[in-house]
Amino acid sequence: MARGGNGEYPQGFASSIPHIHAAVAQTAAAQKDRKIMPIEQFDTSQVHAGFDPAANADSVAPVIYPNAAFWLENSQRGHNVADGDELGYLYSRVANPTLTVLEQRVAQLDGAAEAVAVASGMAAIAYALLNAAEGGGRIIAPYDVYGGTFDSLRTLLPKFGVTTTFVEDINDLTHVESLIRDDDSVKAVFAESVSNPTTHVTDVDALAELSHRHGIPLIIDNTLPTPYLYRPIEHGADIVVYSATKALGGHGNAIGGLVTSGDRFDWSTQRYPQFSEPEWVLGEAAGRAPRSFVEAAGPLAFIRRLRLKYLRLTGAVLGPFEAYLQLLGLETLQERVSKETASALEVAKFLDAQPHVTAVHYAGLPGSEQRGLVPRDYPRGVGSVLSFELEGGAEQTAAFINHVRLFRYLANIGDVRSLIVDPANTTHREFTQEARAIVGVNASTIRLSIGLESPKDLIADLSQAFEAVYPR
């Protein structure tokens, strides 16, 4: 591992996140222009970004480092690394070379300044929201989110003093502004870029402008579209979260999550005192003057504090083998998502023409009520997930699921295999009756995640299920 002084990086910071220094140096110049990666370069970056063969025994494939901790060689070097005077890894709960590659690669693909990998998408959401609202505060969020997210916002985070005001339409800017105007208790606005399972598209540009006007960050879950279809930071989002379990990894074989950060939000205001209070490990622990995360990291205070306080101290650590699997999945992200999205549109059009389908929820359909936002923000499509409602009720839904042969019935999305699920009984069972009515998740709702199979085969499978459930 290369060694050296901190250079432009804050003294003492390397003790907890040494590898971030290289990541920042590598991306700093590119960040002068936020749109650093034209689409023709995306496929190159998904294969190569963040990895140096020369630093990994000339391996051209990502290397798995199964270390719990790393050799410090001697007492002096151990002190230097711990104090941030010399680059090096200490302990894999905070940083691991395999995870570094994943973090740098996703950050580059996402147009972000830095990224932190964690053990799951839910860990990414929890860390991001708690880091912003620590000590108590309020989140503004739509009802139309993943069921686990809704449950966390409604029942778990309030135990930590963080409450959520749910809105029916996050794009109703007048209503959202009425909730955040002159209210210092609001710590973040949160939404999914494309919602699960209705594919409602958030107007991130407008929501970011509104949030920033009131000194509030915008946190976006970009799991469904992935950075290939949409990059929220380019549209004004400050923090982005991912479940890497889904389309980023793409093979349903590893749980993981990521938080990425832009570098434009001011975390030094009185609304966020946790970023300006002196932090022992950034100052006194190394025999230096007290310093805060804002003093040490400026606009990157959020992402570095998330690693140092939440990942290091609560320990939702992604394993190096899982990171390796997700890196392998990332190498084909563009190819997978582009095909799956094209197939999803074909399937949605087929469903839209079926007499026993009462509604199709897919923002990519030509007649979608969001046809203004989609062409502007999603010229390559909105992703591989869609949902629809069957004529009848729970009995017809169960029969339909039981009669498909190619679709696999399991609670995941973004897989190379096509998946089917009834959200009301599985992925969104946490929804209250009020939330179900507002979002439109009911006993007749079926969610599909389209994989890499031939769309003709998928449509044939759906057709025979329709014939079995609704015989002529």
Side-chain angles (χ1 to χ4, degrees):
M1 180 182 300
R3 303 176 192 168
N6 272 351
E8 63 180 296
Y9 308 106
Q11 286 281 333
F13 221 97
S15 61
S16 291
I17 47 175
H19 68 280
I20 284 297
H21 302 263
V24 173
Q26 181 178 348
T27 59
Q31 291 299 315
K32 292 178 182 178
D33 178 3
R34 178 58 59 191
K35 296 186 177 181
I36 60 175
M37 200 183 329
I39 192 59
E40 61 265 25
Q41 297 177 16
F42 191 96
D43 46 1
T44 300
S45 295
Q46 71 184 15
V47 175
H48 293 288
F51 185 72
D52 180 10
N56 290 275
D58 297 325
S59 171
V60 296
V63 176
I64 302 172
Y65 288 86
N67 303 56
F70 297 86
W71 185 41
L72 296 172
E73 299 184 26
N74 56 66
S75 177
Q76 185 59 55
R77 181 170 184 264
H79 290 177
N80 291 344
V81 171
D83 289 343
D85 296 327
E86 188 170 341
L87 299 183
Y89 289 90
L90 285 174
Y91 198 71
S92 282
R93 176 158 36 83
V94 180
N96 176 285
T98 309
L99 274 66
T100 297
V101 179
L102 177 64
E103 290 165 346
Q104 291 187 17
R105 188 164 299 178
V106 171
Q108 184 162 335
L109 293 174
D110 210 32
E114 290 184 10
V116 173
V118 295
S120 69
M122 286 306 301
I125 293 170
Y127 281 4
L129 295 178
L130 286 172
N131 197 31
E134 184 177 298
R138 193 156 59 95
I139 307 295
I140 307 299
Y143 283 95
D144 197 0
V145 292
Y146 164 59
T149 304
F150 178 80
D151 199 18
S152 177
L153 291 169
R154 191 180 74 87
T155 69
L156 179 60
L157 293 188
K159 306 294 185 182
F160 298 89
V162 179
T163 61
T164 297
T165 298
F166 290 99
V167 298
E168 294 188 19
D169 181 4
I170 198 65
N171 290 337
D172 183 347
L173 301 181
T174 301
H175 180 51
V176 173
E177 186 165 28
S178 72
L179 297 173
I180 65 178
R181 184 189 297 114
D182 301 324
D183 187 348
D184 288 340
S185 73
V186 178
K187 299 300 178 66
V189 176
F190 173 83
E192 296 176 351
S193 52
V194 177
S195 69
N196 172 11
T198 63
T199 76
H200 182 271
V201 173
T202 297
D203 189 344
V204 173
D205 294 85
L207 198 58
E209 192 279 329
L210 171 63
S211 300
H212 294 162
R213 195 173 350 120
H214 293 277
I216 299 168
L218 176 60
I219 301 175
I220 292 292
D221 185 335
N222 198 44
T223 295
L224 264 67
T226 80
Y228 173 63
L229 297 178
Y230 189 71
R231 306 209 299 182
I233 290 174
E234 291 181 354
H235 294 265
D238 302 292
I239 305 298
V240 180
V241 296
Y242 289 97
S243 171
T245 314
K246 311 303 191 292
L248 283 183
H251 292 77
N253 56 8
I255 301 289
L258 287 119
V259 182
T260 72
S261 173
D263 56 6
R264 296 177 178 176
F265 191 79
D266 181 7
W267 297 101
S268 67
T269 65
Q270 293 182 354
R271 192 187 297 260
Y272 305 100
Q274 65 269 36
F275 297 103
S276 295
E277 63 189 17
E279 184 64 40
W280 173 264
V281 297
L282 298 182
E284 294 98 322
R288 303 186 179 99
R291 289 191 311 160
S292 68
F293 278 92
V294 166
E295 292 170 324
L300 296 177
F302 183 95
I303 195 71
R304 295 188 177 181
R305 188 177 189 277
L306 186 145
R307 182 187 296 276
L308 191 58
K309 303 300 285 186
Y310 283 91
L311 180 61
R312 182 176 68 95
L313 300 181
T314 66
V317 179
L318 182 68
F321 183 68
E322 286 75 17
Y324 170 77
L325 291 175
Q326 287 159 6
L327 281 164
L328 294 185
L330 276 174
E331 292 179 349
T332 58
L333 178 63
Q334 175 177 329
E335 289 72 21
R336 287 185 289 102
V337 172
S338 60
K339 183 180 190 303
E340 291 164 357
T341 300
S343 297
L345 180 56
E346 286 192 49
V347 171
K349 289 178 178 178
F350 162 77
L351 291 169
D352 201 35
Q354 298 310 300
H356 300 292
V357 171
T358 60
V360 177
H361 304 292
Y362 190 64
L365 279 171
S368 166
E369 62 182 19
Q370 294 191 297
R371 54 187 175 273
L373 274 179
V374 172
R376 186 194 77 181
D377 292 345
Y378 293 86
R380 293 183 292 276
V382 297
S384 63
V385 174
L386 64 142
S387 60
F388 64 100
E389 296 178 33
L390 282 176
E391 180 182 78
E395 181 180 349
Q396 285 73 24
T397 300
F400 192 91
I401 289 174
N402 291 340
H403 277 92
V404 293
R405 299 168 183 168
L406 187 54
F407 282 86
R408 300 304 183 210
Y409 179 42
L410 58 93
N412 196 21
I413 54 176
D415 201 328
V416 294
R417 303 155 193 83
S418 291
L419 312 176
I420 188 170
V421 80
D422 45 347
N425 291 326
T426 53
T427 61
H428 290 70
R429 62 188 299 271
E430 301 94 338
F431 270 22
T432 60
Q433 291 302 318
E434 178 189 24
R436 293 183 185 211
I438 291 170
V439 175
V441 171
N442 53 57
S444 299
T445 304
I446 291 178
R447 186 189 72 185
L448 302 180
S449 174
I450 305 302
L452 293 180
E453 303 93 342
S454 164
K456 292 182 179 179
D457 290 336
L458 297 175
I459 289 172
D461 189 28
L462 295 172
S463 295
Q464 63 83 25
F466 276 118
E467 292 173 2
V469 176
Y470 303 99
R472 296 176 183 175

